[in-house]
Amino acid sequence: MSRSHLPLVLAALVASSAYAEGTPATTTPPPPLPDGASLSSMIDAVAAVRELKLAKRPPIVFLDDAAYSAACAADLHAKAADFVAAPGWHGPSVEALPPPPETCSQALAFYDPHGRRVVIRRSSYERDPKKQHLVITHELGHAIINFALPPPP
């Protein structure tokens, strides 16, 4: 990795002191999607398109705004830490990288590879779940690949 990767790290990093695995999810289920689809059927459809078989479904959690922001910041911090710890990194440490503005406040959902879960901002999803299909489908794609394929060597 080189300095040319620094903008990627900066774009992905939000200041956080530690990775907060296990951020509590809300206990009420999400509202159904307007077209009768469910997140379960979306997982099946994405897996079928990718031609992947799942032995286990990735967990999906819905968080309120505060818990979502904390989980998102922790996820980005963990990903940046993984990136700068990779062989060949000659840039600054994770702690020395400045956070980008408003990264987590703009995101609806993300796949957390460390917690192996899809995290969705409940308030955005409840406002208009049908409009969020594309973003959620994208994040489900990350999760399905992580759950269906063996880890890289």
Side-chain angles (χ1 to χ4, degrees):
M1 286 180 239
S2 68
R3 289 196 180 275
S4 65
H5 291 97
L6 186 58
L8 296 173
V9 174
L10 293 174
L13 179 63
V14 170
S16 175
S17 60
Y19 173 68
E21 188 172 291
T23 304
T26 55
T27 56
T28 56
L33 297 169
D35 58 4
S38 67
L39 291 172
S40 180
S41 65
M42 287 173 69
I43 291 172
D44 293 340
V46 173
V49 166
R50 298 277 187 166
E51 298 180 355
L52 296 170
K53 298 206 182 308
L54 290 172
K56 180 182 173 189
R57 291 177 178 275
I60 299 171
V61 296
F62 288 81
L63 301 178
D64 64 30
D65 287 348
Y68 178 89
S69 292
C72 180
D75 174 66
L76 291 176
H77 181 80
K79 287 175 182 171
D82 289 347
F83 185 82
V84 300
W89 175 253
H90 300 292
S93 69
V94 168
E95 292 76 21
L97 294 172
E102 305 300 317
T103 300
C104 288
S105 68
Q106 297 172 10
L108 161 75
F110 65 92
Y111 175 63
D112 171 6
H114 296 89
R116 294 180 50 88
R117 64 190 183 156
V118 175
V119 181
I120 299 173
R121 182 189 304 270
R122 179 176 283 280
S123 62
S124 296
Y125 181 85
E126 288 177 342
R127 268 194 303 275
D128 197 348
K130 191 169 184 177
K131 282 187 177 179
Q132 310 309 335
H133 272 186
L134 181 61
V135 173
I136 293 170
T137 301
H138 174 84
E139 298 307 327
L140 289 173
H142 290 300
I144 288 166
I145 289 168
N146 190 276
F147 272 70
L149 298 178

